Amino acid sequence: MILQFVWTDLLFKNYNNLVNFADAVDRKIKTLTTASVGATFNTMEISNRIIDLMQKKVSLCNAKVLVEKVIKNLDKESARILILRYIDNHNMERIAKLTKQSVRTIYRKLQSARDLFAKKMLEMGYDDKRMQNLFEGQLWIYNDYIYEKKKLLEECPQLINKNSTCQLDKVKDALMEDLEDKNFVSSAI
């Protein structure tokens, strides 16, 4: 379950950049297709690069759809707070003003909504392995995923003292498994 929080954070952190990433992929594809018009050399290489870029765009779309799908399955208040914070990019003070609640209450409700989002992802079948498969080879999210897992591993002893559900050995095993998995990494855009 702990790794669900890593994925939750990554999805929200990258959500507003997904459209920009997809636009960058489109521009790169356009450049490649324009450059390949009339060219008889490297046609296969250019075609393969375009296919790779299209696969990256699919993963970007999948991430956006996943966030929206999970949010639609949350209660109305949790969904609203997540949308205001991560999709509309409002700060906590603005959310408090919009919802007519205290900033402290918003912080508490945001944490609760994020926890609920992570649990709902898991209920919908998006566990750590499925998320890794969904974003296999996508360095735009994989590098952040590894970084966050390493950070979690470093912080885990403190989490054990606060929350007995943190199992250091399971987190270490999951992290080591990812670091040893060479097939998950591919080239960036």
Side-chain angles (χ1 to χ4, degrees):
M1 180 64 190
I2 291 171
L3 297 177
Q4 290 305 115
F5 297 114
V6 171
W7 284 111
T8 296
D9 289 344
L10 289 175
L11 288 170
F12 285 133
K13 178 177 136 182
N14 288 294
Y15 183 86
N16 285 316
N17 293 319
L18 294 175
V19 172
N20 295 335
F21 292 159
D23 288 345
V25 168
D26 286 341
R27 285 190 301 275
K28 184 69 174 176
I29 290 170
K30 185 177 180 180
T31 301
L32 286 170
T33 54
T34 304
S36 68
V37 172
T40 56
F41 61 93
N42 294 329
T43 304
M44 186 60 87
E45 184 179 317
I46 291 171
S47 297
N48 287 334
R49 183 68 179 134
I50 290 171
I51 290 169
D52 289 342
L53 289 168
M54 295 294 283
Q55 289 171 340
K56 288 182 190 303
K57 187 169 180 180
V58 167
S59 78
L60 294 168
C61 293
N62 286 341
K64 188 173 187 312
V65 168
L66 175 60
V67 169
E68 293 166 1
K69 182 177 173 183
V70 175
I71 285 176
K72 283 182 182 179
N73 283 284
L74 299 176
D75 63 90
K76 192 173 184 173
E77 184 179 33
S78 295
R80 183 173 186 219
I81 289 186
L82 290 171
I83 289 167
L84 288 170
R85 179 69 183 115
Y86 295 111
I87 296 174
D88 295 342
N89 276 332
H90 291 298
N91 64 31
M92 301 306 265
E93 291 76 18
R94 178 74 178 140
I95 297 170
K97 188 179 273 187
L98 289 170
T99 60
K100 297 180 174 93
Q101 298 176 38
S102 72
V103 173
R104 183 178 176 148
T105 298
I106 295 303
Y107 273 104
R108 192 171 28 82
K109 287 185 175 185
L110 180 63
Q111 184 59 49
S112 176
R114 288 174 65 247
D115 292 350
L116 187 58
F117 183 95
K119 288 175 188 170
K120 189 60 74 173
M121 267 181 48
L122 194 56
E123 286 173 15
M124 294 171 72
Y126 291 94
D127 62 359
D128 185 56
K129 279 292 183 201
R130 184 168 180 195
M131 294 298 290
Q132 286 184 45
N133 289 337
L134 186 64
F135 297 109
E136 185 172 357
Q138 304 304 318
L139 288 182
W140 65 271
I141 198 165
Y142 180 75
N143 289 338
D144 281 348
Y145 172 72
I146 292 297
Y147 172 78
E148 292 298 328
K149 282 182 76 171
K150 284 181 182 178
K151 191 167 79 172
L152 179 64
L153 182 61
E154 292 166 3
E155 294 172 358
C156 202
Q158 291 81 16
L159 292 173
I160 290 172
N161 295 333
K162 294 179 187 174
N163 183 352
S164 62
T165 62
C166 180
Q167 298 174 7
L168 183 58
D169 291 335
K170 286 185 179 181
V171 175
K172 280 183 183 177
D173 291 344
L175 175 60
M176 292 305 136
E177 182 181 311
D178 283 347
L179 294 176
E180 292 169 2
D181 185 5
K182 303 295 184 207
N183 296 326
F184 196 61
V185 180
S186 73
S187 63
I189 291 178

